[in-house]
Amino acid sequence: MEASLVFRLHERGPEVVREVLLERGWEEYDEEEREEEDWNLYWRGSAFRNSEYLNLMPWQRLNHHPKTVGITRKDCLARNLRRMRTTFGSSLYDFSPTAFILPNDYTRFLSEYNKVTRGPSAYWICKPVDLSRGRGIFIFEDMRELVYDCPVIVQRYISNPLLISGYKFDLRIYVCVKSFHPLTVYIHQEGLVRFATEKYNLSSLHNLYAHLTNTSINKFSLFYKSEKERVGRGCKWTMSKFRHFLQSQDINELLLWQRINNIVTLTLLTIAPTVPSCPNCVELLGFDILLDAEFKPWLLEVNDSPALTLDCQADITVKRGLISDLIDLMNYTLTDSLRERAFQRQGYNKPCIHAQHASPVSIPVLKETKYQKRRNQSLQTLPKIKTHHHPEKINQRQHAFAAVYQRHLPPVHLNKKYASKVEAANKSDTDDRTLNLILGPQSRTDVSVVNRQTWPDRAPWLTDNRSLRVSEVTNYDDTETEAEAHVSFSLAEIPHRGLGFRREKLPDIYRFHSGIRRVRKERTAALNRQHVPPLRVGDFIRTFPFNAATLKASQHTLDVKKVIHELHKLTAQLASRKKLKRREEEERDGEEDFDSLLWGPKDPPLLGHCVKPF
Ligand code: ADP
């Protein structure tokens, strides 16, 4: 019985998601042919309803976390950042231009306006709070030009943007929040640089082709197709191309990426404690960052459904890879591909909203789904988490692990049919097939970064399920623990696969002497017990947690203060770094070992090689 993963796209789009998934061997959901719950991924451009989170089955994933509007709507973002500024200081939260939510903040805006107009020229930008793609935006200098008929934010206009041959641009950074509890964040190395199509000029504030960088606007410019100095045709570059540009400038590139990275983390911290825990969801966010002439990055906005249309070659290169890597991050297992078949004789714990993290959501009375009806009729008891403790006595830490692992629970008591399937899948001669099923023939994730993880001591009930281990995408690390050796051996046998599958080599700095490996092996084993999320998945680099302290600070209730303290330390160290210096691994003895790559460069160095010990 062949098992395929099944995707469901709301209102037929986006096409690139369909293409990537079909290439990976997925099937598209057809409601005429399939049961209501017979799918693995539901992709929507808009938010899901509460009931959709609450009805989520263990084999299903959604492409949005609940309640992220706190950063994705312009007014909410402004409000939340203001709150954080008050709590943690304006020097830390100084990355977003001063903003006022109108009409409410009208008086405050007026007083600020009067204050700044006494100095050199100040410019403002007015944006409707819930529109996107540049709609309804205008820039003004004189208060009399401010006319609005819907809620808007008025923001200080960054009037000295960094220009390339006179053209304004901003950066679209793709961020995946794999989980809010514990907070786990990845940033994609490939992003987009979006250019205005006419030269920047402060004496023509009404020329949107010179002041806005939205593709949806600039593709209608007369100059869209013409060859523009240095920028070229169209209005987009890939991030790789931008990096070549940066290399030609005398700037501390690593510090720039780290500052952008900080913006992402600090922004997510504003909502992380209030987002309900939903381990089966991921969120792909588009952060829009503008660099000013001093290379200071400014956050303009956060998009919850970044555009996935393919308008030009840069889009194709970036977005196809992005979606493919995102699917790898979702970490589908053989169990997931069997869907209901793997779970029907089992009870299951719905893994979506976890009470201890959920903010007060009104839970509607839910319609019983066909699957739930059958499950309830079968009167089977739930296997729950197999633990020696009484459930009530599970401490907080175990709850955090439970959140991560709950969706793997059902295979503990497999029905016979499924058990034989898992056994077959674990025979070495079928490893390749299993991986193909999980990663898909088009996966961009290197087998070398797949499955180097031991299961936590606190989840011993999982250690028998090898098929799950094979599917776990996890840390690149030269260390191998005994428990994982047999799996990585078989992975090493797997040959290169088809188009789109890259065997990306990490730089030499990852190779360590064998003596050091032994020390690392022990430390890594200790950290693995805390479930260290994978270091990189395809071109996604884990940016949070980034060291042992932030891992710890995010395990239970998120310790925002501690995280901010660690960010400070790291940035200060990078800022004072004279040159990238490789340190010997022995120097780190006695330090807590936590591999974390520095997000940004194509072949990113380990943080530990760029900064002094923490
Ligand atoms: P939308 O959701 O409509 O795209 P954005 O906030 O992203 O709204 O703004 C659209 C564009 O306007 C940005 O891509 C950028 O080029 C420009 N822009 C927005 N805010 C500012 C600002 N404060 N300073 C300078 N340019 C800005």
Side-chain angles (χ1 to χ4, degrees):
M1 178 178 53
E2 267 307 305
S4 302
L5 291 156
V6 176
F7 65 94
R8 218 178 141 176
L9 297 183
H10 183 62
E11 291 176 347
R12 307 251 339 120
E15 193 53 39
V16 65
V17 175
R18 173 180 288 105
E19 276 175 23
V20 167
L21 290 171
L22 290 175
E23 272 172 28
R24 294 170 67 118
W26 285 54
E27 287 175 17
E28 184 154 9
Y29 177 79
D30 180 342
E31 60 183 12
E32 305 286 311
E33 288 174 13
R34 290 184 183 271
E35 295 270 334
E36 212 176 310
E37 299 86 12
D38 199 22
W39 50 267
N40 298 97
L41 169 65
Y42 191 1
W43 187 285
R44 275 182 88 116
S46 52
F48 290 100
R49 290 185 296 271
N50 270 352
S51 57
E52 285 169 305
Y53 290 108
L54 294 166
N55 275 328
L56 210 54
M57 300 296 167
W59 57 87
Q60 299 175 330
R61 316 272 199 286
L62 302 178
N63 72 318
H64 293 297
H65 282 277
K67 291 181 171 267
T68 54
V69 71
I71 54 169
T72 57
R73 225 178 93 128
K74 294 180 179 73
D75 52 342
C76 301
L77 176 66
R79 204 172 290 122
N80 273 323
L81 291 177
R82 189 186 294 167
R83 179 176 52 82
M84 295 299 270
R85 218 173 278 138
T86 315
T87 317
F88 296 103
S90 49
S91 63
L92 187 69
Y93 276 87
D94 69 340
F95 54 81
S96 89
T98 313
F100 301 90
I101 306 159
L102 302 190
N104 285 0
D105 290 343
Y106 189 80
T107 330
R108 291 181 57 222
F109 170 58
L110 206 61
S111 102
E112 179 74 10
Y113 174 85
N114 288 328
K115 210 173 5 169
V116 296
T117 40
R118 276 183 240 125
S121 316
Y123 300 87
W124 302 91
I125 184 166
C126 177
K127 320 189 226 183
V129 296
D130 56 0
L131 288 187
S132 58
R133 291 182 270 137
R135 289 171 294 175
I137 295 183
F138 61 93
I139 299 147
F140 64 95
E141 191 180 4
D142 188 331
M143 183 80 184
R144 283 168 298 185
E145 290 174 64
L146 175 61
V147 182
Y148 55 94
D149 57 6
C150 60
V152 293
I153 67 159
V154 170
Q155 207 175 46
R156 195 67 196 262
Y157 187 63
I158 307 298
S159 56
N160 63 333
L162 182 66
L163 304 176
I164 297 184
S165 295
Y167 293 94
K168 177 176 171 177
F169 64 91
D170 71 2
L171 309 178
R172 164 57 58 89
I173 308 289
Y174 295 101
V175 174
C176 173
V177 184
K178 173 93 167 62
S179 144
F180 275 96
H181 302 284
L183 184 62
T184 312
V185 184
Y186 288 82
I187 307 187
H188 206 259
Q189 291 188 299
E190 260 310 354
L192 287 167
V193 182
R194 309 176 312 163
F195 286 90
T197 41
E198 291 192 29
K199 292 211 176 187
Y200 188 71
N201 184 349
L202 277 173
S203 55
S204 61
L205 293 182
H206 300 298
N207 182 359
L208 298 185
Y209 300 125
H211 289 275
L212 305 195
T213 51
N214 303 80
T215 309
S216 45
I217 287 179
N218 283 288
K219 66 182 175 191
F220 296 109
S221 156
L222 279 177
F223 301 96
Y224 178 68
K225 287 192 177 151
S226 46
E227 187 67 36
K228 294 169 285 298
E229 188 189 340
R230 194 144 187 189
V231 172
R233 287 177 209 274
C235 64
K236 275 183 197 161
W237 280 4
T238 61
M239 199 61 81
S240 308
K241 187 164 177 184
F242 181 61
R243 287 206 177 106
H244 286 295
F245 164 79
L246 285 180
Q247 277 153 24
S248 66
Q249 312 292 309
D250 190 22
I251 61 148
N252 183 341
E253 205 197 336
L254 288 184
L255 183 61
L256 172 69
W257 299 124
Q258 182 56 33
R259 280 172 147 192
I260 295 176
N261 184 0
N262 288 0
I263 291 178
V264 170
T265 309
L266 292 169
T267 305
L268 291 169
L269 288 180
T270 65
I271 57 160
T274 56
V275 174
S277 173
C278 192
N280 278 24
C281 300
V282 295
E283 187 83 46
L284 179 67
L285 297 164
F287 277 64
D288 290 347
I289 304 280
L290 183 81
L291 301 182
D292 69 17
E294 270 84 53
F295 281 92
K296 175 180 161 72
W298 293 90
L299 175 69
L300 299 183
E301 71 154 345
V302 183
N303 296 275
D304 58 355
S305 286
L308 290 174
T309 41
L310 303 181
D311 287 325
C312 57
Q313 190 50 48
D315 273 346
I316 297 170
T317 313
V318 171
K319 293 175 186 175
R320 288 179 63 86
L322 173 76
I323 297 301
S324 191
D325 293 342
L326 186 72
I327 303 301
D328 284 349
L329 253 180
M330 288 186 196
N331 205 14
Y332 282 97
T333 65
L334 181 64
T335 321
D336 291 321
S337 71
L338 294 173
R339 293 181 292 284
E340 195 178 328
R341 278 168 282 161
F343 294 82
Q344 61 196 355
R345 301 252 179 93
Q346 323 297 320
Y348 66 91
N349 249 357
K350 272 197 271 173
C352 52
I353 311 254
H354 287 281
Q356 77 269 28
H357 294 302
S359 51
V361 209
S362 58
I363 302 191
V365 179
L366 299 174
K367 189 176 129 261
E368 216 179 15
T369 63
K370 271 189 258 171
Y371 174 68
Q372 283 165 327
K373 251 186 214 148
R374 276 201 302 277
R375 184 199 57 179
N376 292 341
Q377 278 159 8
S378 72
L379 285 175
Q380 297 242 348
T381 47
L382 300 183
K384 288 210 174 144
I385 300 171
K386 253 198 155 188
T387 166
H388 301 300
H389 304 277
H390 193 265
E392 285 82 0
K393 288 186 189 153
I394 294 176
N395 63 29
Q396 264 193 319
R397 192 183 189 92
Q398 285 165 311
H399 269 299
F401 286 117
V404 175
Y405 292 113
Q406 251 170 349
R407 68 185 182 76
H408 297 306
L409 286 175
V412 176
H413 298 295
L414 300 172
N415 62 42
K416 274 187 200 142
K417 206 167 173 190
Y418 176 70
S420 60
K421 217 167 181 15
V422 168
E423 205 177 299
N426 281 321
K427 293 210 172 102
S428 59
D429 60 348
T430 57
D431 275 349
D432 196 9
R433 192 174 57 77
T434 308
L435 270 169
N436 263 298
L437 173 72
I438 293 152
L439 297 177
Q442 303 299 319
S443 168
R444 290 151 43 88
T445 293
D446 192 328
V447 265
S448 66
V449 296
V450 174
N451 189 28
R452 297 296 181 101
Q453 180 177 325
T454 51
W455 292 101
D457 280 355
R458 287 184 173 79
W461 57 90
L462 291 166
T463 52
D464 281 347
N465 196 328
R466 280 188 248 165
S467 77
L468 296 182
R469 266 194 261 158
V470 170
S471 71
E472 189 74 13
V473 181
T474 184
N475 281 338
Y476 184 94
D477 190 337
D478 260 351
T479 51
E480 288 179 0
T481 54
E482 281 160 31
E484 68 200 347
H486 71 284
V487 180
S488 49
F489 170 77
S490 55
L491 289 175
E493 307 288 301
I494 295 170
H496 284 233
R497 279 177 280 155
L499 272 175
F501 183 82
R502 293 164 317 138
R503 180 171 277 270
E504 199 170 298
K505 275 197 123 190
L506 288 171
D508 277 352
I509 56 172
Y510 300 95
R511 314 264 162 237
F512 300 107
H513 316 294
S514 54
I516 296 163
R517 284 180 59 170
R518 213 173 316 111
V519 179
R520 291 181 50 113
K521 186 170 152 179
E522 282 149 24
R523 290 185 195 148
T524 306
L527 280 165
N528 274 345
R529 279 194 289 278
Q530 292 188 53
H531 184 69
V532 182
L535 192 59
R536 79 180 290 164
V537 174
D539 281 344
F540 271 115
I541 304 284
R542 188 223 313 129
T543 57
F544 192 91
F546 55 87
N547 61 13
T550 48
L551 176 73
K552 199 164 159 223
S554 58
Q555 286 300 311
H556 319 303
T557 314
L558 184 66
D559 185 345
V560 177
K561 253 191 190 162
K562 177 75 189 159
V563 171
I564 286 177
H565 176 71
E566 291 298 318
L567 272 183
H568 257 314
K569 268 204 307 189
L570 175 60
T571 313
Q573 286 176 332
L574 282 168
S576 65
R577 185 184 62 88
K578 292 283 180 290
K579 61 178 179 165
L580 188 95
K581 189 169 166 271
R582 188 183 153 181
R583 288 185 302 102
E584 282 302 315
E585 190 63 10
E586 286 89 339
E587 284 175 31
R588 296 172 65 189
D589 263 2
E591 294 297 324
E592 282 185 290
D593 185 32
F594 187 103
D595 284 349
S596 212
L597 292 167
L598 197 79
W599 173 72
K602 196 68 194 162
D603 283 323
L606 281 167
L607 270 179
H609 290 90
C610 301
V611 298
K612 295 185 215 94
F614 289 101

